[in-house]
Amino acid sequence: MKEFVTKMKIKDLDSEQLERAASMLKAIAHPMRIAILSHLEEGKRLTVTEIHKLLDIEQSTTSHHLGILKDKGVLNSQREGKNTYYSLKHNSLQNIVDCVSKCTVKL
């Protein structure tokens, strides 16, 4: 499915859209969730097991963070057999991770 995005400015958003945006940003604003998003760049899909191994955290902790990100509209999940694959719901969310990465580099 191709993603169509119109260039909107924050000032053009109504209060409901602003609430949804704030909710998504709050969900992302956790070190482990930022790390999860960084592994899901460029349309990559990963399972809970793959993510917990990449981040070296408990699988239950990984599932907890994935649930929050999915609930707030940051991630998609797709069940295939015994596995559930997670991916970014909107490819443009990668820009947030890129921005955070650039802004935290020490000069």
Side-chain angles (χ1 to χ4, degrees):
M1 182 170 92
K2 194 169 184 175
E3 184 175 303
F4 293 97
V5 178
T6 58
K7 278 257 187 191
M8 290 185 74
K9 297 185 183 213
I10 295 293
K11 66 180 182 175
D12 297 329
L13 300 178
D14 63 29
S15 61
E16 185 178 317
Q17 291 169 313
L18 288 169
E19 282 292 328
R20 196 166 45 248
S23 181
M24 290 173 79
L25 289 170
K26 286 178 195 174
I28 293 168
H30 185 283
M32 279 300 132
R33 295 183 207 137
I34 293 170
I36 289 168
L37 296 182
S38 72
H39 286 289
L40 295 173
E41 63 188 357
E42 299 175 11
K44 196 171 191 179
R45 299 172 348 132
L46 295 171
T47 64
V48 176
T49 302
E50 292 169 325
I51 294 168
H52 103 83
K53 286 180 180 177
L54 284 167
L55 298 178
D56 194 29
I57 59 175
E58 294 294 324
Q59 189 160 343
S60 61
T61 303
T62 306
S63 294
H64 171 75
H65 289 299
L66 290 170
I68 291 169
L69 291 168
K70 184 181 174 203
D71 182 55
K72 298 301 180 185
V74 176
L75 296 182
N76 276 328
S77 66
Q78 183 176 4
R79 185 111 177 133
E80 292 182 14
K82 290 192 269 182
N83 293 313
T84 300
Y85 288 88
Y86 292 88
S87 61
L88 292 177
K89 190 165 188 173
H90 307 281
N91 290 332
S92 56
L93 288 168
Q94 186 60 47
N95 295 335
I96 294 171
V97 176
D98 293 342
C99 180
V100 168
S101 179
K102 289 175 188 173
C103 292
T104 56
V105 173
K106 290 186 178 184
L107 299 177

